Structure formats: C-alpha cells, structure tokens
C-alpha cells in the first residue's frame, strides 16, 4: 500500500546540514528571477524533442489552499522540528529563514509558481535502478550530477538549485511525463536543515514521495497535488512552493527572458508565456521596445533593456554578418550594426541562444554586436568552462586537465581577439564619414590614465582585458597624445601665423588718416570709437591621434562664450621649426565640412561646454602637432 508523505533520511552520525547551501547561494541576490529564467529555459531548450521546431515554457502562479494538499500540511511540523533542533545555536540568517517560512505556512493559501515546458522529452529513468543512468534522479535525487549530452547548456548539475532560491520553504515539486520510457512521475524535494523526527536526527534534504519504498509517486499512486497539475503531454513541470513573489515578478521574469534568450526567441526555437503574455518571434521587438521605453521613462541610469534592443537590431538588421574560424571552419558568426547612439556592447553566446555575457568594447565608432558560437568543437569546449551560473567562460574550471585548460584558454583568447578585430575592421569602413561624436565627456579630464582611449590588445593577457580575481594590470594606450603649446590665448600677436581673414583686429580708438593730395577727394576719415574682439579663453584642450591614418580628435572647453573660434594645427620638426598642416575636412556637431585649409572656423561656441571635432589631415605620416585655439 502506498504511503505518500515527507521523508528525510536519517543522519546516522553523518554531517549536519545547516542553512548555508552553496548551490542555492549561487543563485540568490538581485538577479534572482534572471537566474531562475536562465536555468529553466536553458534546461527546456536542452530537452527539445527531436522533430519539434520550438520549445514552449510557461510561468504562472497558482494559489493553493493549504488544507487541500497533504504535501503542504506536512511542512508545518517539519519547520517546527527544525526550529527546535537549532534553538540554542540559531543565527540571524536561520532565524529569518524559519520566520519567513512559518509566516507563509500560516496563510490559508500558498503561492506556487508553476513552470511548465512543452515539446520537450520529459525526464526519463524515474524507475531506473540506483546505479543506472537516469535524468529523473540527476534532477531530483542527486547533487552535482548531470545527464546532459554534448552541446547542452548545463554541465555541472548545480543549476537545478536555482528554483530553490526562489522558494520561502526551499521546496520544489517535479512532475514529468517522459517520452523515452512513457513514465509519469511526481516528487517533492525540500533542501532544508538537519532536524529531529520521531526521535531520529535527519539529514537536511528530504523528499515527498512514496515513503513505503522510497520511490517517486507514479500513476497508480493517489496524489491530489499531482492530479492538480494534470500533465497530459510530454515535458516537465517545476513547481516552486512558497514562491518569493514581488508586485512586478512577472515583468521581471519577462525582462529576464528577453535579456537572455532574445536570440532563441528570434530564431523561433523558444516561446515563453508569463502570466498569459506570450513572447515569440512575432512580438519580440515590440516587447523589448515596451520595456526599453519604461526604462527610459523611469529615469534609470541602468540601460540593460535598451542595450538588448541594440542587440536585437544587430541580429535582425545587421550591417555586417561575418563568419569566423576558431577551431573549425565557420564555427562562429558575428552580427554587427553601427549607430551613433549605440553603447559599443557585444552579446556573446553559444549555439543554444542564451546570452553568456555582455561586454563593452570601446573603439572609435558606436555599434552593437551579437556573437554566436555554432554547434561543434568550440561550442562543446566553451560549455565545459562555464560556471554554474553560465555567465562567463573560465578555462580555470578545467584545472584538473591541464591540456584541456590550455586548449580552452587559447580558443577563448583567439575567439575574443577575432571578435574585437572584426568589429574594429568592419566599423572602420564607415569611420571617415560617420565619426563618433557621442560620449565626449569620457575623454576629459585629460590625464594619462584615461581608459576610454582604448587598449593595446597585445599588452594584456586577454583580449577583452577582464580580470575579476587579479590586481589590474598596467594598460598601454594604443593612441598617443601630441604636444600642446597653445593653452590660453589672450590676443597676443603671433608673427608666424597669418589670420584667416588677413586683417588685424584689436581695441582702441581711431585717430583719422593723412590726406593724400593725389588721392580721391571723396575719401572720408575714420571716426573715432571703441571696437573689441572676444578672444577664446581655453579651459581644457586635447588632440589625440585616432587609429585611422590622418584622423585626429580635438576636444576643448572654453571659459567664455565666443561667436567665432579658429583652430589650427602645426607640425613640429626635428629642427624645431613649425610647419602649418593642411586640413582636408572636419566633422563637428554631426556635420562634415570640406575645407582644404590650414584653419577651421567654428561659430557660436558656448562656455563650459565640451566640444569635440574630428579632422582629417592632408598627410598620413605620424607627427608631433601643436594645437592652436584662438
């Protein structure tokens, strides 16, 4: 006869389990819902049925009346036993956990987040023997075990703890209908703490199952909770008991899905429903735009969704699509889109279509890029370097296999270097006519440690210059400053420099002219009066050579308003002589002007405002330049 109840194995003088659980802690914090969405959706994508074109994942809250379900009633006494067991050594963290659980269990109705997937294989092996392969046991009855194959997103067997981080009870129920063996199985798992039950000390992890023979609950076992889920198609339900919901939980889940799986959704391999709202390829753009607009209206400095919108356009309307060869031919593809307002960001992912990380690469134009590693050797190798949160590629994870670790290090470096170089090369095509004029404030104050100028990728160990665990390395700039001599000019005459209009201005009164007997009789003598010229008072100035030949960036701030500002450059020779440099064209205030002159004139320059322009010089040779602002 079936005896369906909670069962916690005996401790039997083994190690006690306290409140600190490394697996759960990995997924707690401000990214709680994002971690949940990532783990659930990637598991479902990994389990897509052969022959199905898409996976469907649904998130919805069910409010269950506690007294109708023995599985929930049974938690009451368990938490009482936990509290009694730890009463003499309870710290603040454990006290908060027990109080939160008790408060929710005292309610008549309990929130349950039900996450269901469809067009998936379900979890086979629910009736397999202990030492046989079983996807069911790997998920519900083991730690650090995975049964995923090549190319799957998860590889540590730790991601399954993400749902527990979202439960006030640290309790999750699994319900699955497996295609492979046609078996339906149901079971609850509680990752709690050691306690005493019926005079016996127990382990912290317990199971809601058929306690008479320690097996899952099958079709012929009576279970009201399982029947409530009523699964009729292949796939799996993950039910989070005592869900930690917020007023915006559904929007947060949706934003997490959009941020992490926009590629999978765009390709049509993933459809997600959140509380009745469907996200698929047909409305993906609209949903991202909706949250990007809300983000802007909130005044938040965090522009995560706006960056995702940039990635969407790079994917759907790219200026360039480039294939790379890292370990095999065409094993990675890169989508690039250039736009003056973009954030210079790159989304990196593997073939599953889930973002592993986004990073910023500061070059001379603005862009968004999406990098996707295709199925194959590189995809499988990078998978092995991902930590449980799947948020980076860390070859150090393979430290037990030095050969594989070195291979992964080289592949990762080659991959990122290829991405960086490709973006720089492809963006260069448009740089002459579409120079970057945004974000100028990043270049002031003008000091030697200005990282916004870019990095020399040959001078650091990794192309993307990331180091979370080591001291920052000295970075070598790949641009050089040029000599500046004109700092503040106050009307001082320069005998070697000819004003653009060929006249000499100044202040003072006229004294009249001398009459020429041979001249025209109708010449009038000048009248006396006061004239003044408002000379620019320069607070800051800088000129920097760009990676492109002949292109220089000039930035300056004035202390006073000026109707007209003249700018010129002179090359300094080894003999100390100065030679005027011809400017072919310049771009200022998003307008390109062809001048073919040794001087630029700008109008209506405001005080205390950072101004930036790009100039193209006549000759490409490297030179030391002198900047004059007058």
């Amino acid at each position: 006869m079936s005896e369906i109840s909670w069962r916690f194995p005996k401790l039997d003088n083994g190690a006690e389990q306290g409140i600190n659980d490394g697996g759960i802690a990995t997924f707690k914090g401000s990214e709680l819902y994002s971690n949940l969405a990532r783990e659930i959706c990637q598991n479902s994508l990994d389990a897509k049925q052969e022959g199905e074109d898409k996976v469907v994942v649904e998130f919805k809250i069910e409010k269950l009346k506690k007294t109708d379900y023995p599985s929930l009633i049974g938690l009451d006494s368990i938490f009482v036993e936990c509290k009694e067991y730890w009463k003499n050594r309870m710290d603040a963290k454990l006290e908060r956990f027990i109080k939160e659980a008790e408060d929710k269990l005292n309610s008549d109705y309990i929130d349950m987040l039900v996450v269901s997937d469809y067009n998936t294989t379900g979890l086979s092996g629910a009736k397999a023997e202990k030492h046989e392969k079983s996807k069911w046991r790997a998920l519900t009855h083991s730690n650090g075990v995975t049964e995923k194959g090549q190319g799957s997103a998860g590889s540590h067997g730790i991601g399954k703890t993400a749902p527990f981080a979202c439960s006030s009870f640290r309790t999750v129920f699994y319900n699955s209908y497996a295609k492979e063996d046609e078996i339906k199985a149901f079971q609850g798992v509680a990752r709690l703490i050691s306690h005493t039950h019926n005079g016996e000390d127990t382990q912290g992890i317990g199971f809601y199952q058929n306690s008479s023979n320690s097996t899952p609950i099958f079709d012929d076992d009576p279970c009201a909770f399982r029947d409530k889920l009523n699964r009729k198609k292949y796939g799996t339900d993950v039910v989070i008991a005592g869900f930690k919901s917020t007023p915006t939980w559904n929007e947060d889940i949706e934003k997490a899905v959009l941020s992490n799986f926009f590629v999978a959704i765009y390709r049509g391999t993933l459809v997600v429903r959140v509380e009745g709202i469907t996200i698929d390829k047909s409305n993906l753009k609209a949903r991202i735009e909706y949250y990007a607009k809300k983000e802007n209206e909130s005044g938040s400095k965090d522009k995560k969704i706006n960056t995702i919108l940039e990635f969407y356009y790079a994917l759907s309307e790219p200026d360039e699509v480039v294939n790379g060869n890292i370990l095999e031919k065409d094993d990675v593809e890169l989508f690039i889109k250039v736009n003056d307002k973009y954030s210079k960001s790159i989304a990196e992912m593997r073939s599953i279509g889930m973002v592993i990380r986004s990073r910023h690469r500061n070059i001379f134009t603005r862009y968004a890029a999406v990098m996707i590693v295709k199925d194959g050797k590189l995809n499988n190798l990078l998978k092995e370097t991902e930590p449980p949160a799947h948020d980076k590629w860390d070859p150090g994870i393979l430290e037990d296999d030095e050969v594989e670790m070195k291979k992964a290090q080289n592949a990762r470096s080659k991959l990122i270097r290829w991405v960086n170089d490709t973006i720089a090369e492809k963006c260069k095509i448009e740089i002459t006519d579409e120079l970057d004029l945004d974000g100028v404030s990043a270049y002031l104050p003008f000091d030697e440690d200005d990282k916004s100028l870019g990095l020399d990728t040959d001078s650091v160990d990794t192309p993307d210059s990331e180091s979370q665990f080591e001291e920052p390395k000295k970075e070598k700039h790949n641009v050089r400053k040029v000599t500046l001599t004109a700092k503040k000019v106050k009307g001082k005459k320069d005998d070697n420099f000819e004003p653009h209009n060929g006249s000499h201005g100044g202040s003072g009164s006229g004294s009249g002219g001398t009459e020429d007997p041979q001249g025209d009789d109708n010449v009038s003598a000048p009248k006396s009066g006061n004239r003044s010229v408002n000379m620019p008072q320069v607070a800051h100035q800088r000129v920097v050579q760009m990676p492109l030949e002949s292109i220089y960036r000039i930035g300056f701030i004035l202390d006073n308003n000026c109707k007209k500002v003249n700018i010129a450059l002179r090359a300094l020779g080894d003999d100390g002589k100065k030679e005027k440099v011809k400017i072919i064209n310049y771009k200022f205030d998003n307008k390109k002007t062809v001048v073919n002159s040794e001087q630029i004139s700008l109008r209506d320059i405001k005080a205390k405002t950072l101004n930036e322009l790009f100039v193209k010089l006549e000759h490409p040779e490297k030179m030391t330049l002198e900047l004059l602002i007058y």
Side-chain angles (χ1 to χ4, degrees), residues 326-423:
I326 307 302
L327 297 183
E328 298 173 284
K329 180 176 173 57
D330 294 340
D331 55 358
V332 59
E333 57 186 343
L334 182 65
F335 300 80
I336 307 170
K337 190 170 185 64
V338 176
N339 187 294
D340 283 344
K341 297 182 179 180
Y342 281 3
S343 60
K344 303 182 182 181
S345 298
I346 308 165
E348 299 177 338
M349 66 199 72
R350 293 190 292 103
S351 60
I352 193 174
M354 180 182 78
V355 175
I356 297 299
R357 66 169 186 169
S358 298
R359 63 182 177 93
H360 183 77
R361 175 68 176 172
N362 197 3
I363 61 172
F364 40 83
T365 192
R366 292 188 172 275
Y367 66 92
V370 176
M371 183 210 77
I372 306 172
V373 176
K374 302 177 185 178
D375 282 328
K377 294 179 181 179
L378 179 62
N379 188 72
N380 295 334
L381 180 61
L382 291 176
K383 180 198 73 171
E384 298 300 327
T385 69
E386 293 171 14
H390 302 287
D391 56 0
K392 60 183 175 180
W393 290 312
D394 180 8
I397 288 175
L398 305 176
E399 61 182 351
D400 293 335
D401 188 335
E402 189 172 346
V403 173
E404 281 295 293
M405 181 176 72
K406 187 66 176 178
K407 183 179 178 181
Q409 287 172 339
N410 292 336
R412 177 184 180 274
S413 294
K414 184 178 179 181
L415 172 65
I416 299 174
R417 192 177 300 277
W418 174 81
V419 170
N420 292 345
D421 292 346
T422 302
I423 291 173

